[in-house]
Amino acid sequence: MSEHSAGPVLDLHCAKRLGDFDLELSSILPGQGVSALFGPSGSGKTSLLRLISGLDRPDRGHVRLGGEPLVDIDGRRWVAVHRRRIGVVFQEPRLFPHYRVRGNLCYGMRSDTPSRFDDIVTLLGLDTLLERWPATLSGGEARRVAIGRALLSAPRLLLLDEPLSGLDGSRKGELIDYLQRLAAELALPMVLVSHDPEEVIALADHLLLLERGRVVAEGALPEVLGRLDLEARLDGFDGASLLEATVVEEARGARLGRLAFDDGQALAALGVDAPVGTRMRLRFAADAVELAPPGAPAALAARFAAQVPSRRDPGLVEIVVELAGQRLRARVAREAFERLDPAPGAMLGLIAVRPQASRQR
Amino acid sequence: MLSEFEWETIRLSLLIAVTGVSLILVPGIALAWLLARRDFPGKALIDGLVHLPLVLPPVVVGYLLLISLGRQAPLGQWLYELFGLRLPFTWQGAAVAGAVMAFPLLVRAMRLSLEAVDPGLEAAARTLGAGRLRTFLTITLPLAIPGLLTGTVLAFARALSEFGATITFASNIPGETRTLPLALYTLIQSPGREDAAARLCVIAIVIAMCSLIISEALARRARRRLEGRDK
């Protein structure tokens, strides 16, 4: 995936009593890319973030970063918050009101690491805000300053607690762009807390699905999204699939770009802005993948894997097919599906309407 | 305009009040922070003790000071042997009396203003690598400045107006412990000095008003800075 060397792996094996349920998990988050903690409000996501950052202490177990224990209840180890070098972007920007933006950004800068001040200021578009007071910033600007401030403290891991909450559509899209750029350009593992599927799909590589303090599912985002047994819990994702493919034809003028899967099948997609040969991530909406009528010319051949009745409408079925070794979901008319009545492993013809491509990290 | 005696009284009163407040400023902030941010056994007891001078008759406080800090008391002896400091019947003693009486007001005001500082900002500072002390000095304290100023002025006014504990502990010695309230009391007691008493009364009001105005102006400036409306 990433060309960068892997950062420290986060090893979570801990428990903590939270109100009327226990947060209890044993998971390992990869040392690169963005891991999302996804679940409904009150599932323990933010509490877990506080355990990782050291703002709270678990009742039992340990948290290790790159093999080094940050807390180990049995081994009596405790690394104080300010020695962990874990950056946190809280739900609210939490800018210090008595420092200008520049002062906020510099607050956590360390003298023993080379300064990346200019780079990060440019990356987050903060150049024109440096002399402003936090009270005069818009929500999106304040959020960007908070992210920059955390990054400039040279963290080994960045925790983001719903960084897009409370922002309107265009600000949200803008901040997603900034975060995508960050994830791509900095070799810094990130943990993203979110209950917003859009945020997760746009940013995450790895997904940890939490419910009432327990991990219900975890794994690479495309794999978890392709699991029909999680249909009820991943409702908000609307059956989206993420697949990887390689650019074979760049978008030019009025023509869409084309990408090819590893088995050679190709299709047109939106947003192909990378040169030929680049790996990109394709996002398919379940409703935009249709069963092709027999003999349709542009159909993709995929292997039928599983189906469940759709929760949306009794007239629909959710199906999963295997396309070039990756999982693709579709929501198709029950009637058409039952007419074909494919056995598991049978080949189906599918038409995908304009999937969205985005850069692979 | 002012007589020698009046200048002397003002000078002595300010000296005693400023010394008294300086004595309790740092311990007051520390205790206010403990009460605002920490839970520890005996917290309610400490809280009660701090507030005691507020509800006790000042004469009782003066008497307690006399028996705990007098030459015969161990603490008083220790202060004398170590620093050559005699507190009863000296201006330093008057400062201590004022300090003890002003302490609850100072701690109360500071505790309120420290409690009003968003702990989320402190948490953010910690995650940015700041230890407890740096967090306190760069985040908590500056954000609590308006309350600190109010508390300091309150304490100053209380120390300046202290009467009962002072007269009990430090007595009413001209040029040594006769502060403005004591001088005023003395004048009222002497027949035919009503106009001198009235002049002192006006002076007391002017000093009190000045300190209030100055503190209000400082606090407003601090608040403006904190809210980022400066310039």
Side-chain angles (χ1 to χ4, degrees), chain A residues 23-76:
Chain A
L23 174 68
E24 193 167 352
L25 76 167
S26 188
S27 291
I28 290 186
L29 299 183
Q32 61 184 12
V34 180
S35 302
L37 306 178
F38 181 79
S41 316
S43 54
K45 308 182 298 285
T46 298
S47 306
L48 181 55
L49 215 65
R50 293 181 62 89
L51 289 186
I52 300 170
S53 62
L55 291 169
D56 281 329
R57 220 177 261 258
D59 300 333
R60 281 174 283 130
H62 63 247
V63 175
R64 294 196 187 116
L65 184 60
E68 177 212 339
L70 297 177
V71 54
D72 187 338
I73 298 297
D74 301 325
R76 297 180 171 279

Side-chain angles (χ1 to χ4, degrees), chain A residues 1 27 38 49 58 72 92 109 131 201 208 218-219 288 326:
Chain A
M1 275 187 79
S27 291
F38 181 79
L49 215 65
D72 187 338
E92 332 75 56
M109 271 168 63
E131 303 309 324
I201 286 197
L208 205 77
E218 60 188 305
Q326 305 178 70

Side-chain angles (χ1 to χ4, degrees), chain B residues 66 87-91 93-94 97 165-173 176-177:
Chain B
L66 203 54
L87 290 180
F89 315 118
T90 61
W91 73 265
T166 310
I167 203 167
T168 315
F169 182 50
S171 187
N172 185 3
I173 305 163
E176 179 75 23
T177 68

Side-chain angles (χ1 to χ4, degrees), chain A residues 299-352:
Chain A
L300 294 165
R303 194 175 295 280
F304 173 65
Q307 62 106 354
V308 289
S310 178
R311 291 152 30 90
R312 293 294 161 97
D313 191 296
L316 298 174
V317 215
E318 308 276 343
I319 66 172
V320 175
V321 298
E322 227 173 72
L323 180 61
Q326 305 178 70
R327 274 187 245 190
L328 174 65
R329 293 182 52 172
R331 190 174 294 137
V332 299
R334 177 185 292 272
E335 217 182 337
F337 176 75
E338 282 175 352
R339 213 175 307 130
L340 288 172
D341 192 24
M347 295 306 285
L348 291 177
L350 294 171
I351 292 176

Side-chain angles (χ1 to χ4, degrees), chain A residues 50 53 55 80-83 86-88 90 94-100 104 106-109 133 135-136 149-150 153, chain B residues 118-132 134-135 138-140 142-143 225-231:
Chain A
R50 293 181 62 89
S53 62
L55 291 169
V81 185
H82 64 285
R83 298 193 196 285
I86 295 180
V88 184
F90 296 92
R94 296 196 185 181
L95 300 183
F96 306 134
H98 55 307
Y99 290 115
R100 289 174 198 268
N104 269 280
C106 293
Y107 189 88
M109 271 168 63
W133 291 98
T136 66
R149 183 177 69 172
S153 69
Chain B
D118 177 6
L121 294 179
E122 296 169 333
R126 299 295 309 280
T127 64
L128 290 167
R132 281 192 193 288
R134 182 169 171 228
T135 302
T138 58
I139 307 296
T140 320
L143 289 176
R225 270 218 60 156
L226 296 185
E227 284 160 19
R229 282 190 270 125
D230 193 30
K231 271 162 272 171

Side-chain angles (χ1 to χ4, degrees), chain A:
Chain A
M1 275 187 79
S2 171
E3 298 299 311
H4 300 298
S5 60
V9 169
L10 185 64
D11 170 6
L12 298 163
H13 181 89
C14 53
K16 185 176 178 64
R17 183 99 198 130
L18 300 176
D20 64 338
F21 65 91
D22 284 308
L23 174 68
E24 193 167 352
L25 76 167
S26 188
S27 291
I28 290 186
L29 299 183
Q32 61 184 12
V34 180
S35 302
L37 306 178
F38 181 79
S41 316
S43 54
K45 308 182 298 285
T46 298
S47 306
L48 181 55
L49 215 65
R50 293 181 62 89
L51 289 186
I52 300 170
S53 62
L55 291 169
D56 281 329
R57 220 177 261 258
D59 300 333
R60 281 174 283 130
H62 63 247
V63 175
R64 294 196 187 116
L65 184 60
E68 177 212 339
L70 297 177
V71 54
D72 187 338
I73 298 297
D74 301 325
R76 297 180 171 279
R77 286 272 300 165
W78 172 256
V79 179
V81 185
H82 64 285
R83 298 193 196 285
R84 291 197 176 187
R85 295 188 57 187
I86 295 180
V88 184
V89 176
F90 296 92
Q91 248 179 74
E92 332 75 56
R94 296 196 185 181
L95 300 183
F96 306 134
H98 55 307
Y99 290 115
R100 289 174 198 268
V101 167
R102 182 188 295 278
N104 269 280
L105 290 172
C106 293
Y107 189 88
M109 271 168 63
R110 306 163 60 93
S111 48
D112 59 343
T113 46
S115 167
R116 296 175 302 168
F117 189 84
D118 294 336
D119 296 344
I120 286 172
V121 164
T122 311
L123 192 60
L124 287 166
L126 301 174
D127 316 62
T128 56
L129 305 178
L130 289 176
E131 303 309 324
R132 299 258 296 270
W133 291 98
T136 66
L137 301 177
S138 72
E141 289 168 342
R143 212 65 69 101
R144 263 151 52 204
V145 174
I147 294 169
R149 183 177 69 172
L151 288 173
L152 282 166
S153 69
R156 296 180 292 171
L157 172 71
L158 185 66
L159 310 179
L160 300 142
D161 194 355
E162 309 205 358
L164 304 181
S165 69
L167 297 181
D168 56 41
S170 60
R171 298 263 161 238
K172 210 167 178 171
E174 186 189 276
L175 197 58
I176 284 183
D177 286 347
Y178 280 119
L179 287 170
Q180 278 177 336
R181 214 175 310 159
L182 281 184
E185 292 185 17
L186 307 173
L188 175 66
M190 302 190 199
V191 175
L192 171 78
V193 157
S194 181
H195 65 241
D196 177 2
E198 188 194 336
E199 200 171 296
V200 171
I201 286 197
L203 297 172
D205 305 303
H206 190 89
L207 184 70
L208 205 77
L209 188 57
L210 276 176
E211 205 173 87
R212 283 183 68 81
R214 307 290 163 115
V215 177
V216 186
E218 60 188 305
L221 180 64
E223 278 162 38
V224 178
L225 288 184
R227 280 177 57 178
L228 286 179
D229 58 316
L230 299 172
E231 173 61 13
R233 288 178 173 112
L234 296 177
D235 201 28
F237 288 91
D238 202 21
S241 313
L242 297 172
L243 281 82
E244 276 181 35
T246 310
V247 179
V248 289
E249 217 178 292
E250 226 177 314
R252 194 166 290 123
R255 267 217 334 270
L256 287 176
R258 286 177 70 78
L259 294 107
F261 293 103
D262 294 350
D263 64 357
Q265 302 197 71
L267 81 173
L270 298 171
V272 184
D273 56 357
V276 171
T278 315
R279 291 290 273 180
M280 291 193 89
R281 185 190 249 191
L282 277 173
R283 175 183 177 177
F284 295 85
D287 286 320
V289 182
E290 289 290 339
L291 289 172
L300 294 165
R303 194 175 295 280
F304 173 65
Q307 62 106 354
V308 289
S310 178
R311 291 152 30 90
R312 293 294 161 97
D313 191 296
L316 298 174
V317 215
E318 308 276 343
I319 66 172
V320 175
V321 298
E322 227 173 72
L323 180 61
Q326 305 178 70
R327 274 187 245 190
L328 174 65
R329 293 182 52 172
R331 190 174 294 137
V332 299
R334 177 185 292 272
E335 217 182 337
F337 176 75
E338 282 175 352
R339 213 175 307 130
L340 288 172
D341 192 24
M347 295 306 285
L348 291 177
L350 294 171
I351 292 176
V353 186
R354 288 187 295 277
Q356 176 74 41
S358 60
R359 275 173 195 267
Q360 186 67 47
R361 292 190 283 276

